[in-house]
Amino acid sequence: MNKIVCNIMQSSKKAGMYLYVEKAQGLKRVPEALLERFGKPKLPMTLLLTPERKLANADVDKVMAAIEEKGFYLQLPKDDDDYMKDIALANSKLSGA
């Protein structure tokens, strides 16, 4: 897919958490468990995604690929990204990797 009309939904429960979904599909393909954690989505923006487009806090190629494969892309706040990296590092040390 060379372009996607994308709704960017903002979480009502977690600052900095966003869901990118294809506008035509909406939230249909987002798992219910994720929607529960996400809270009531707010629609701050609709964008036309293309491989050339620059996004502030996400890689457009990864966003587009995730939307095509799973129906959504979840953007977490930066502090959550660091937390997840710390957990992965701790797990690798525990497993002897």
Side-chain angles (χ1 to χ4, degrees), residues 41-69:
K42 301 175 200 171
L43 177 63
M45 186 179 310
T46 300
L47 292 176
L48 178 62
L49 297 182
T50 65
E52 299 79 27
R53 176 143 203 148
K54 300 290 183 215
L55 298 172
N57 294 311
D59 179 313
V60 73
D61 293 324
K62 290 179 182 177
V63 172
M64 292 177 73
I67 291 172
E68 286 181 42
E69 293 169 20

Side-chain angles (χ1 to χ4, degrees), residues 72-85:
F72 68 95
Y73 174 84
L74 177 65
Q75 178 181 309
L76 296 171
K78 287 291 182 191
D79 59 342
D80 282 5
D81 288 344
D82 293 339
Y83 175 74
M84 295 307 289
K85 287 176 188 172

Side-chain angles (χ1 to χ4, degrees), residues 10-73:
Q10 182 179 13
S11 172
S12 62
K13 289 189 174 182
K14 179 84 170 161
M17 183 184 289
Y18 295 90
L19 269 173
Y20 293 67
V21 296
E22 186 176 2
K23 183 177 181 179
Q25 293 287 316
L27 299 170
K28 291 179 190 174
R29 294 178 60 196
V30 179
E32 190 61 38
L34 175 54
L35 288 175
E36 287 176 23
R37 291 193 66 210
F38 193 78
K40 183 175 176 161
K42 301 175 200 171
L43 177 63
M45 186 179 310
T46 300
L47 292 176
L48 178 62
L49 297 182
T50 65
E52 299 79 27
R53 176 143 203 148
K54 300 290 183 215
L55 298 172
N57 294 311
D59 179 313
V60 73
D61 293 324
K62 290 179 182 177
V63 172
M64 292 177 73
I67 291 172
E68 286 181 42
E69 293 169 20
K70 300 185 291 186
F72 68 95
Y73 174 84

